[in-house]
Amino acid sequence: MKKTMKKAAALLLASSMLVGFTACGGSGSSDNGDTIKIGVNYELSGDVATYGQSCTKGVEMAINEVNKAGGINGKQVEIVKIDNKSDNNEAMSAATKLASKEGVSVMIGPATSGAFKATISAANQYKVPAITCSGTSDDITVNSDGSVQEYIYRLCYTDTLQGNKMADFATKKLNAKSAIVLADTSNDYSNGLAKAFEAQFKKNGGKVISTETFTAQDKDFAPVLTKIKDKKADMIYLPGYYTECSLIIKQARDLGIDLPILGGDGYDSPTMLETAGKDALKNVYFTNHYAVDDESEVVQNFVKAYKEQNNDENPGAFETLGYDAGKLACDAIERAGSTDPQKVSEALAATKDFKAVTGTLSIDEKHNPVKETVVLEFKDGKALFNTKL
């Protein structure tokens, strides 16, 4: 009888412990651990690995700096990193694991809008805030009914803002009165930029004489470029990722199309130069998050530190955005005075005048940043500062 009672008591104790563990499993809090955990969910392999790898490098640099300076409230910061393989389903699985099992206080990534949107349900379900530093799709931080995603934050600009700014650049800086829009039908990023650009360009008095399309992973763009060559326009707006845009630009120049080509931050990759070549990139402009030759103190201090750690290589926008995301995450945890994800989320929402490398920013009511946009121009194969809008 006593043996049976002891066994029952032991089972009851184990059951209660299991219930307690299950209840806390989705909290993401690491208050009781020796380190503060930040989840990193990036494209470290696959089609757009250069974006994820670059963002991760920036996050790691930021966290290393924080740890060398003593960490946060006496604790070191630990990165829990998962490769989503440039696949939306993998990104969702990674976010679920980070939020429900790894005890992270905040998640950073993925890099692309589509992959990041695949993680939103996990962030909301487990109430763990997630930061995108490069997902520009408008509907990331808001629902279809206009309500705000409570646990989702962005530190880059939106597609609408980016498209609007480039339309302003085209009409006001390049004096373009007519344009051809060539967009990738297969992804939200390209379509969002194209839609915003076209609307603002028309609002500015410009005329879009043709809207053409291509599809991701295409290699031969001669048919659509031949159609474009026969049309008279002042410029081409080509939003998309470097993987296709570098090929399109090269093939366009080979066909004798020498019009100015404008694009978005998806151009920010060494592959653009490697594939297109510096001659093809003449008269090519794109919106971006920062310029390495911006003379501001915060930019130049970051560039110097990055180059010292990376064989004198300049940081790209994605390394810089990743760095800013890492610093913002740590700043929010410190301001929250806790690693509890709910409190960290509240601190992120209250961010004011955070001095990021990509521009001093405040988080608005839709969890988007208020800051400037930079336009870069390729010169001799280098992407250099042109203007701020």
Side-chain angles (χ1 to χ4, degrees):
M1 183 70 174
K2 289 181 180 179
K3 202 169 184 181
T4 303
M5 290 177 67
K6 285 182 180 179
K7 184 175 181 181
L11 286 170
L12 180 61
L13 176 61
S15 177
S16 66
M17 289 176 67
L18 179 59
V19 170
F21 175 78
T22 303
C24 295
S27 72
S29 176
S30 53
D31 274 322
N32 297 322
D34 296 326
T35 60
I36 295 170
K37 293 183 178 181
I38 292 177
V40 170
N41 177 359
Y42 272 122
E43 299 86 335
L44 303 180
S45 62
D47 292 340
V48 291
T50 183
Y51 292 152
Q53 291 166 1
S54 296
C55 288
T56 300
K57 183 183 284 190
V59 174
E60 290 173 338
M61 179 177 170
I63 301 307
N64 287 338
E65 287 183 1
V66 170
N67 284 336
K68 286 180 181 178
I72 302 173
N73 300 325
K75 288 186 176 183
Q76 293 286 285
V77 181
E78 176 187 350
I79 294 175
V80 183
K81 183 167 56 177
I82 299 179
D83 175 15
N84 64 44
K85 304 174 184 177
S86 299
D87 180 89
N88 291 358
N89 290 328
E90 292 282 349
M92 179 178 63
S93 297
T96 301
K97 182 178 180 181
L98 289 170
S100 66
K101 297 181 179 180
E102 294 294 344
V104 302
S105 298
V106 58
M107 299 183 289
I108 303 173
T112 65
S113 293
F116 187 86
K117 283 192 281 188
T119 72
I120 291 175
S121 60
N124 287 333
Q125 178 181 350
Y126 296 103
K127 302 184 185 330
V128 177
I131 301 170
T132 176
C133 68
S134 53
T136 54
S137 181
D138 286 18
D139 58 355
I140 281 178
T141 61
V142 293
N143 295 299
S144 58
D145 62 1
S147 61
V148 178
Q149 297 278 11
E150 185 176 359
Y151 295 94
I152 304 302
Y153 299 88
R154 183 197 333 252
L155 65 75
C156 59
Y157 43 61
T158 65
D159 284 341
T160 293
L161 179 62
Q162 186 178 185
N164 288 349
K165 294 288 188 179
M166 193 47 102
D168 289 342
F169 177 79
T171 55
K172 298 175 183 179
K173 299 291 184 178
L174 299 184
N175 297 314
K177 293 178 173 54
S178 59
I180 295 168
V181 176
L182 175 56
D184 180 355
T185 59
S186 64
N187 75 70
D188 295 337
Y189 167 74
S190 183
N191 287 322
L193 285 176
K195 182 179 179 181
F197 173 89
E198 186 166 348
Q200 185 67 24
F201 191 75
K202 291 177 179 177
K203 184 178 179 181
N204 291 349
K207 181 180 180 181
V208 176
I209 63 174
S210 179
T211 300
E212 307 294 341
T213 62
F214 65 93
T215 304
Q217 299 184 347
D218 284 349
K219 300 297 182 184
D220 181 9
F221 302 96
V224 67
L225 290 173
T226 300
K227 287 176 63 178
I228 287 174
K229 185 178 180 180
D230 295 333
K231 299 179 185 297
K232 293 183 179 180
D234 294 329
M235 54 148 292
I236 298 170
Y237 187 56
L238 174 64
Y241 297 136
Y242 66 91
T243 41
E244 288 78 32
C245 291
S246 57
L247 285 170
I248 291 172
I249 291 171
K250 177 176 174 51
Q251 292 176 26
R253 299 312 192 210
D254 288 345
L255 283 172
I257 300 172
D258 59 1
L259 295 173
I261 297 176
L262 283 58
D265 60 329
Y267 285 19
D268 189 62
S269 169
T271 302
M272 283 293 290
L273 176 61
E274 294 167 8
T275 302
K278 68 177 184 179
D279 290 337
L281 292 174
K282 290 178 181 177
N283 221 9
V284 173
Y285 308 84
F286 64 101
T287 39
N288 211 0
H289 306 272
Y290 103 116
V292 70
D293 54 336
D294 187 325
E295 295 181 355
S296 71
E297 184 178 0
V298 65
V299 170
Q300 290 309 310
N301 286 342
F302 166 72
V303 170
K304 180 181 178 182
Y306 183 91
K307 291 175 74 171
E308 287 174 352
Q309 298 175 35
N310 294 276
N311 301 315
D312 208 38
E313 173 188 332
N314 281 323
F318 287 89
E319 287 90 352
T320 310
L321 288 164
Y323 177 86
D324 282 348
K327 284 296 183 77
L328 178 60
C330 291
D331 178 71
I333 293 169
E334 186 171 24
R335 284 187 286 116
S338 170
T339 57
D340 176 67
Q342 179 68 50
K343 293 181 179 178
V344 174
S345 183
E346 292 169 1
L348 284 168
T351 299
K352 299 293 181 185
D353 300 323
F354 176 74
K355 295 189 181 302
V357 178
T358 54
T360 298
L361 64 90
S362 298
I363 299 298
D364 68 14
E365 66 280 359
K366 292 185 178 180
H367 291 184
N368 291 320
V370 179
K371 63 179 183 178
E372 289 182 307
T373 303
V374 175
V375 176
L376 302 186
E377 175 185 2
F378 281 105
K379 292 183 178 179
D380 295 323
K382 296 179 180 179
L384 301 177
F385 177 84
N386 180 285
T387 190
K388 283 184 179 179
L389 298 167

